Amino acid sequence: MTETPPGRRLAESLVRLTHLVEHVFAETGRRYDITPQQAQLLCVLHHTQLGMTELSRSLHLEKSSLTGLVNRVERRGLAVRRRDSHDRRECRVALTEQGSRIAVDFHEEVSGRLEELVGDLAPEESGQLTSVIARVLAGAETEPGREGRPDS
């Protein structure tokens, strides 16, 4: 039997970790009656207002898909579209008070659950993992075609 190369083992571990984080994200979203995509939108908009083009890039969605997503969160009273004061043809999407509350609560709960998952790591291991992840993310953000990756 051939041994799996270290790079492949790392990639497989990252994929498994991604699935775990996605599971936590989706499970937490269900508690707030929001889909993972809606949760991601709320998290991206938490401290800012963005135009549809910026949101499309940030969330890696086609404009038609983004329009449907924004329509759904707007109908639920979690976000509103506002005309851009500098360009009346553009609109910016902002969270409502309720949307902001859900974004904060959702983020806190997801963060807490993820912190529990790594709670057994020694402080130096946690620091090393944080540094490595930060380097991987920084490298991904500088690759062509990878601008605007969402933080959450």
Side-chain angles (χ1 to χ4, degrees), residues 3-129:
E3 188 174 321
T4 307
R8 175 62 54 98
R9 284 196 310 266
L10 175 59
E12 290 171 356
S13 293
L14 288 171
V15 168
R16 290 179 62 211
L17 180 61
T18 299
H19 290 287
L20 176 60
V21 172
E22 287 174 346
H23 174 74
V24 168
F25 209 77
E27 190 176 82
T28 304
R30 282 192 294 277
R31 292 172 42 80
Y32 292 91
D33 195 29
I34 55 176
T35 66
Q37 294 79 17
Q38 291 170 345
Q40 191 175 20
L41 176 67
L42 296 181
C43 289
V44 166
L45 291 173
H46 177 50
H47 289 293
T48 191
Q49 298 179 20
L50 293 175
M52 294 294 278
T53 301
E54 297 163 297
L55 275 173
S56 179
R57 273 191 224 117
S58 181
L59 297 172
H60 298 275
L61 291 174
E62 296 295 323
K63 287 189 178 189
S64 61
S65 297
L66 177 63
T67 298
L69 176 61
V70 172
N71 287 345
R72 288 186 295 280
V73 296
E74 198 170 34
R75 275 195 302 270
R76 293 204 42 210
L78 304 178
V80 293
R81 288 181 178 99
R82 296 187 177 130
R83 286 281 167 215
D84 188 313
S85 60
H86 301 298
D87 184 351
R88 301 287 298 156
R89 296 169 297 173
E90 283 287 318
C91 71
R92 301 186 74 68
V93 182
L95 295 182
T96 62
E97 187 176 319
Q98 180 186 8
S100 290
R101 262 194 326 273
I102 289 175
V104 168
D105 292 348
F106 175 85
H107 182 77
E108 286 296 316
E109 188 169 334
V110 167
S111 295
R113 292 188 61 199
L114 294 174
E115 287 170 2
E116 287 175 18
L117 291 173
V118 296
D120 289 342
L121 294 179
E124 60 274 2
E125 290 175 312
S126 179
Q128 288 173 332
L129 182 57

Side-chain angles (χ1 to χ4, degrees), residues 14 17-18 21 60 129-144 146-152:
L14 288 171
L17 180 61
T18 299
V21 172
H60 298 275
L129 182 57
T130 300
S131 295
V132 169
I133 291 170
R135 284 194 356 236
V136 170
L137 292 173
E141 290 171 356
T142 60
E143 287 181 26
R146 296 210 180 235
E147 306 81 21
R149 286 252 182 232
D151 292 340
S152 25

